[in-house]
Amino acid sequence: MDRSILRFRHRLLAWLHRSRSVPVLNVKRFRYKEIKRATSGFNRVVYSNSRSSAYNAKFQDGRVALVKELRSLSDNGFIAEVQLLGRLHHRHLLTLRGFSTGHKRLLVFDEIGHGSLRDHLNDPLRTPLSWRLRLQIAAGVAAALEYLLLFTNPPMCHVSISSSTIILDENFTAKISDIGFHCTPANISDCPDASNSDDFKDQKCGNLIYQLGALILELVTGQSSDGTSADLINWIEGTNFAMSMNKMIDPDLGNNFDYKDARNLLSVAKLCIKSREKPRFSIPQIFRYLQSKVCAPNC
């Protein structure tokens, strides 16, 4: 898509977003003790990083949800974060359902159904994900990234994509769980003013494409990297990549996949990982490609 069209879409959607800026009405305030009990004293860790920790929570009504603890935000900053996250609506983003400002600053999101993608890739007792479902997960994540990059104002400051932060609901729909608007000491240098949204997209796009490439690599190989595995990244950037592709495809797939599609997807992952410093294509382009594979009749 032409860059001028993308810029127009972004500005138009940003104007519409500002024009309907209203308080969030459907976000529930939870009691700290209720969340502590649901997370078994914050011991059911799904993932943790410098910005936040996420927990699996089972409430008394049987509902299983994702709870996130945010760090390094003031009370006012946290409430603003709740307001902004509450306005996000996308099929591949976890929906904010509530918050707590007790001893910790906590966010309560949707039911998480089948847990994280990493759970399914690493647990030999779980039914392996089909090839079509893996394509759907990759396309869904790319669709959410397109939404976050083009249709949010202020722009997102933090987006983390990995098998740990991708949550699968009861229908195995992929949802990004680790996003944020407000800066923390750990990422303050990456947060330009909203007025510089084009610069923001240029700065963030390369890193997001890299993360998406690492995620695709995980989906095809079945190996968890979380974007930090030197072995996987070194392999796909290495000189013998093309010759060893067939050995790296997840054996759990058996023969239930299109070998040519798998090789092509690994090539896309390689291009994404090489695009960290200088993106060669856009998130919308990657999404269109992945969507075309999902819609192919042989998948």
Side-chain angles (χ1 to χ4, degrees):
M1 187 179 296
D2 184 80
R3 185 177 178 84
S4 62
I5 297 176
L6 292 176
R7 186 178 295 111
F8 173 76
R9 287 175 64 196
H10 174 72
R11 290 174 178 171
L12 175 62
L13 268 293
W15 178 82
L16 290 172
H17 187 93
R18 287 194 301 270
S19 69
R20 64 172 185 264
S21 180
V22 295
V24 177
L25 301 177
N26 297 320
V27 179
K28 174 184 176 182
R29 183 185 290 270
F30 284 80
R31 291 181 295 109
Y32 172 78
K33 290 183 179 180
E34 182 182 6
I35 296 179
K36 184 177 181 180
R37 182 169 54 248
T39 58
S40 296
F42 302 100
N43 286 316
R44 299 175 179 172
V45 180
V46 178
Y47 60 84
S48 183
N49 53 45
S50 60
R51 182 180 182 273
S52 63
S53 291
Y55 308 94
N56 187 320
K58 185 172 183 179
F59 291 90
Q60 287 187 321
D61 60 3
R63 181 167 50 91
V64 178
L66 186 82
V67 169
K68 284 181 63 179
E69 175 192 351
L70 295 187
R71 307 187 185 98
S72 305
L73 283 180
S74 65
D75 288 342
N76 289 338
F78 176 73
I79 295 302
E81 185 87 347
V82 169
Q83 293 287 318
L84 291 168
L85 289 174
R87 295 188 181 118
L88 297 180
H89 296 287
H90 192 278
R91 183 168 182 259
H92 296 287
L93 294 177
L94 277 183
T95 301
L96 182 68
R97 297 302 184 192
F99 68 99
S100 173
T101 55
H103 299 284
K104 299 175 183 286
R105 297 182 180 94
L106 302 167
L107 302 173
V108 181
F109 290 88
D110 266 339
E111 294 188 42
I112 60 178
H114 290 287
S116 72
L117 174 59
R118 184 171 187 171
D119 292 338
H120 284 268
L121 293 177
N122 288 358
D123 189 345
L125 299 180
R126 292 177 182 259
T127 302
L129 300 173
S130 69
W131 177 246
R132 180 176 178 81
L133 187 52
R134 296 180 197 217
L135 288 174
Q136 289 174 341
I137 290 170
V141 171
L145 290 178
E146 180 183 52
Y147 169 80
L148 292 172
L149 283 171
L150 300 180
F151 304 142
T152 58
N153 187 50
M156 300 302 298
C157 185
H158 170 86
V159 183
S160 177
I161 305 298
S162 72
S163 59
S164 293
T165 63
I166 302 303
I167 303 300
L168 304 178
D169 71 6
E170 64 278 3
N171 297 315
F172 287 95
T173 301
K175 296 178 182 288
I176 299 177
S177 68
D178 195 7
I179 59 178
F181 285 92
H182 285 267
C183 302
T184 67
N187 63 9
I188 188 70
S189 62
D190 295 329
C191 299
D193 295 334
S195 59
N196 294 324
S197 57
D198 290 335
D199 293 336
F200 170 83
K201 285 186 291 184
D202 290 340
Q203 292 173 15
K204 300 298 286 188
C205 192
N207 186 49
L208 289 178
I209 289 175
Y210 173 88
Q211 292 184 62
L212 183 56
L215 181 71
I216 293 172
L217 182 56
E218 291 186 68
L219 286 166
V220 177
T221 66
Q223 301 181 42
S224 179
S225 73
D226 276 354
T228 60
S229 171
D231 290 341
L232 270 182
I233 301 302
N234 288 340
W235 167 72
I236 204 168
E237 291 183 325
T239 55
N240 66 339
F241 160 71
M243 298 178 60
S244 58
M245 272 192 197
N246 60 325
K247 297 179 181 179
M248 295 297 289
I249 297 173
D250 189 353
D252 285 343
L253 288 167
N255 295 318
N256 300 315
F257 69 98
D258 185 286
Y259 184 70
K260 182 179 178 180
D261 277 350
R263 289 176 64 90
N264 288 341
L265 207 56
L266 282 173
S267 297
V268 169
K270 181 174 183 175
L271 288 173
C272 288
I273 288 169
K274 291 177 66 175
S275 294
R276 189 169 200 170
E277 300 300 327
K278 187 176 181 181
R280 304 182 181 189
F281 36 75
S282 67
I283 293 289
Q285 288 175 315
I286 301 173
F287 169 58
R288 303 295 179 268
Y289 173 80
L290 294 171
Q291 188 64 21
S292 71
K293 294 302 177 183
V294 172
C295 296
N298 62 335
C299 288

